[in-house]
Amino acid sequence: MIHLKTREEVELLRENNRLVSLTLAEVGKHIAPGVRTKELNAIAETFIRDHGAVPAFLGYNGFPATLCVSVNEQVVHGIPSDYRLKEGDVVSVDCGTIMKGFYGDSAYTFAVGEVAPRVAELLETTKKALQNGVAQAKAGNRVGDISAAVQNTAEAAGFTVVRELVGHGLGRNMHEEPEVPNNGVKGRGPLLQEGMVICIEPMINMGTRHVVFERDGWTVRTRDRKPSAHFEWAVAVTANGPDVLTDFTVIEVATRG
Ligand code: MG
Ligand code: MG
């Protein structure tokens, strides 16, 4: 079932997603060649706990870390490790919090130094796909309107959409109904209603759309090992349109140097 949120509950979700945004900004400040991905994880865990929240991913179905850190061909659910970032990498950082009984969940893909032009296009297109999807998150529309907007934006630029993983409702649980796929057909799927809070999270690949689930039980990577990008916003559906609970501005200000 779909849990509709009261205004007060939406504000608690906003607080959580604000903290996630600030955590991603803090992580972003430390992204540079030579940094180990597990160092980013430690920074995020300390930051979240210092702000009175609990890392939502740590222990979730046994996940061993605060962040999912997915580099280059890794799509999502990468486990922080001793890997040192290098110039030209792209790194998706997905972060969740629990505070006051509600969840935050957002993700951002960072470029490490200068990246190849087509890789920069992949990041820009994935962010644009997210924005175009979010623009459809208004009461009276259907989930398929979001999905189609994401898919069309990605495919128009020559990229492909991962099908195996989807966005979701967000509330007192990290994953609630409805599922929010990144591919679909306008006018199809569950009706969007005022009070729904959903995470829209395109995972867009440079090459094939197909993915492989690694034997670590978590990491999802592209089958052809070409790069992938992932951005995620939590959004409240209102009669007047989308109310975005995630704030990328703090991330982009923090990483502009
Ligand atoms: Mg996420
Ligand atoms: Mg999510």
Side-chain angles (χ1 to χ4, degrees):
M1 71 173 276
I2 291 172
H3 298 284
L4 299 179
K5 277 77 186 182
T6 64
R7 278 194 180 175
E8 291 73 21
E9 290 171 334
V10 169
E11 291 316 307
L12 295 175
L13 285 157
R14 192 189 312 278
E15 269 188 63
N16 270 280
N17 286 287
R18 171 88 186 156
L19 177 56
V20 171
S21 305
L22 292 169
T23 307
L24 291 172
E26 187 64 25
V27 167
K29 280 188 223 166
H30 293 85
I31 287 181
V35 174
R36 294 182 195 274
T37 58
K38 72 179 186 190
E39 295 173 54
L40 302 176
N41 185 73
I43 289 162
E45 178 164 4
T46 301
F47 191 87
I48 290 167
R49 294 193 191 281
D50 284 352
H51 286 79
V54 172
F57 297 174
L58 186 60
Y60 184 84
N61 291 335
F63 188 76
T66 289
L67 298 179
C68 296
V69 183
S70 308
V71 181
N72 296 336
E73 73 269 22
Q74 297 176 344
V75 178
V76 287
H77 303 167
I79 300 171
S81 72
D82 286 325
Y83 177 80
R84 289 183 187 275
L85 296 174
K86 60 181 195 307
E87 180 90 14
D89 282 349
V90 287
V91 55
S92 155
V93 180
D94 198 344
C95 179
T97 58
I98 312 169
M99 183 168 54
K100 302 179 185 175
F102 284 83
Y103 278 79
D105 181 16
S106 310
Y108 195 92
T109 301
F110 298 89
V112 183
E114 286 289 311
V115 300
R118 187 65 177 155
V119 175
E121 283 173 30
L122 175 67
L123 299 192
E124 279 314 305
T125 299
T126 307
K127 203 186 296 180
K128 191 71 201 162
L130 169 61
Q131 289 163 348
N132 289 346
V134 167
Q136 298 298 319
K138 49 191 169 197
N141 275 7
R142 293 195 175 262
V143 168
D145 296 315
I146 297 172
S147 307
V150 170
Q151 180 177 12
N152 293 341
T153 306
E155 292 181 351
F159 299 119
T160 64
V161 176
V162 174
R163 311 280 210 267
E164 289 80 355
L165 301 129
V166 297
H168 50 89
L170 185 73
R172 291 185 184 278
N173 305 287
M174 188 152 60
H175 296 118
E176 299 185 352
E177 290 182 41
E179 289 194 343
V180 184
N182 295 304
N183 65 298
V185 179
K186 262 172 90 74
R188 300 260 183 92
L191 185 67
L192 298 172
Q193 304 168 67
E194 178 133 37
M196 285 172 67
V197 175
I198 52 176
C199 286
I200 302 173
E201 49 178 317
M203 289 152 258
I204 306 298
N205 294 350
M206 180 173 284
T208 180
R209 70 174 176 83
H210 294 287
V211 298
V212 169
F213 292 77
E214 297 277 25
R215 279 187 215 140
D216 63 12
W218 286 104
T219 311
V220 182
R221 69 157 169 88
T222 58
R223 198 167 72 185
D224 60 8
R225 296 191 183 272
K226 290 186 179 170
S228 183
H230 174 220
F231 291 88
E232 177 179 18
W233 279 352
V235 181
V237 175
T238 82
N240 303 322
D243 178 7
V244 179
L245 308 181
T246 304
D247 181 7
F248 275 4
T249 307
V250 293
I251 303 168
E252 285 165 0
V253 167
T255 54
R256 212 164 278 152

